[in-house]
Amino acid sequence: MISCTRAALGTCSTTGFLCFILPGSQVKFPATVILSLLFVLLLCLSTALGEKPDQTIDLGQFPAETVDSVVIPVPSEIFTVLDKLGNPNWRGELGPEENYPASPNRAQVALLLGTVIADGFVAVEAEDSERVKKIGRNVLTLAEAINVRKSVVARSNSIIEKADAREWNAVRREFDGALQDVNQAMLELNDAQLAQLVSLGGWLRGTEVLTSIVKDKYSRDRAELLYQPMLVDYFNRQLDQMTPRLRRQQLVGEIRKSLGRIGPLIKKSQPSEISEETVTEINALATQMVELIRAKAG
Amino acid sequence: MNRPASRFRWPAALLVLVLAATSARAFVDDALSFAYEAANPYAERGWIIREDAWGGDLGQGDKKAVTAQLFRGNSYMFFLATDINGAALRVNIYDAEGNLAESKSWQRGRFAYAEIKPRSTGTYYAIVEIISSPEERTGWALVYGFQRK
């Protein structure tokens, strides 16, 4: 047995194998174990270095490799930032308090459903539980008009229950979930285009609220939130690809025209350079579109 | 002589297509469950995990770009997962110019994570990659969340 104050190489008295002996210790490690550990350590180190992501990539190599589906941000993603940048008057941004009658025009109901869900996010920011509950019931009525009531019953009940408990993050998640459930149900009914109209309605109402708040108290930081060129392109593309029957509808046609005007306004600026005039212009267009959606439904 | 065979050719092809689509959808759904499960502890820490998500299937070494609209002022997390045991995935976030923009990322077997605090509002790209997998095609799902704080 070897005992010393420095790591030493010796021969194990019992096995006869070459061993490493730790300083001041009687513990011996076979050399093969130590060498294996060193090898594994080096391997891990080289793997870790190899897995370091590239600092830059050529996005041009990805056009055919890009996932087609676009996840539309929920209004609360933007409202959260607005909250951090000031103290918006959320109550002042709440939509009209009304029950929407069922309409035979499914495209218009789909757009309206999107705006009502977006209103739900505004009501959550305003922490107005009564309004949230009313919106939860409106979601159900509109979902019924486009045959997807079953898919949102549970969500609607949960929205009402969580609004009562003032669990605002949970309510936000339920509105997001309602949007996905409606979309999924429509896809199952082969109504993908109506599902896109729900998303578009929500985005338009969200944009109306965003521009209204930024217009009230303009700052570059707030205006930057409008820089959403990818989403505008996406919605324009969706409208262009809709069936001629849908595109011929007056409401859809008018929205297509207005959205075509919003695109260049957003894209002409750098993110940090969206002017007060541009915000006012986008607000006028978004307000006009949301009013059209509501008026046609009334 | 070929008639009976050709009579069944189209229905058989259709059946194969339906089965392929169903199985692809099923493994994306399974991957999605894993991604949500992995993201759940973050929800308990105040992150709002979106119900909408991306998904698909890729071969080993393949990459896909997922576009996302992100807003300066929020923090975002992306969770990538697969249900294939033994697979290894990776996700990294780049800005519209192709510069690495994430503040943190890690890869642990069939889960991968990236976090970003965008320096400006706009379009970002999550690059999803299957590093290795015992299967020819690996179903994946990417969920994201944002933080209000």
Side-chain angles (χ1 to χ4, degrees), chain A residues 54 77 84 176 221 224, chain B residues 50 72-73 94 100 121 144:
Chain A
D54 295 330
E77 282 183 58
K84 288 175 195 164
D176 185 10
D221 280 349
E224 189 186 319
Chain B
R50 287 293 314 278
R72 182 163 69 97
Y94 291 84
L100 188 68
T121 295
Y144 86 101

Side-chain angles (χ1 to χ4, degrees), chain B residues 10 21 24 31 39 43 67 73 84 92 110 130:
Chain B
W10 283 109
T67 49
I84 307 289
N92 295 108
R110 57 174 148 176
I130 307 296

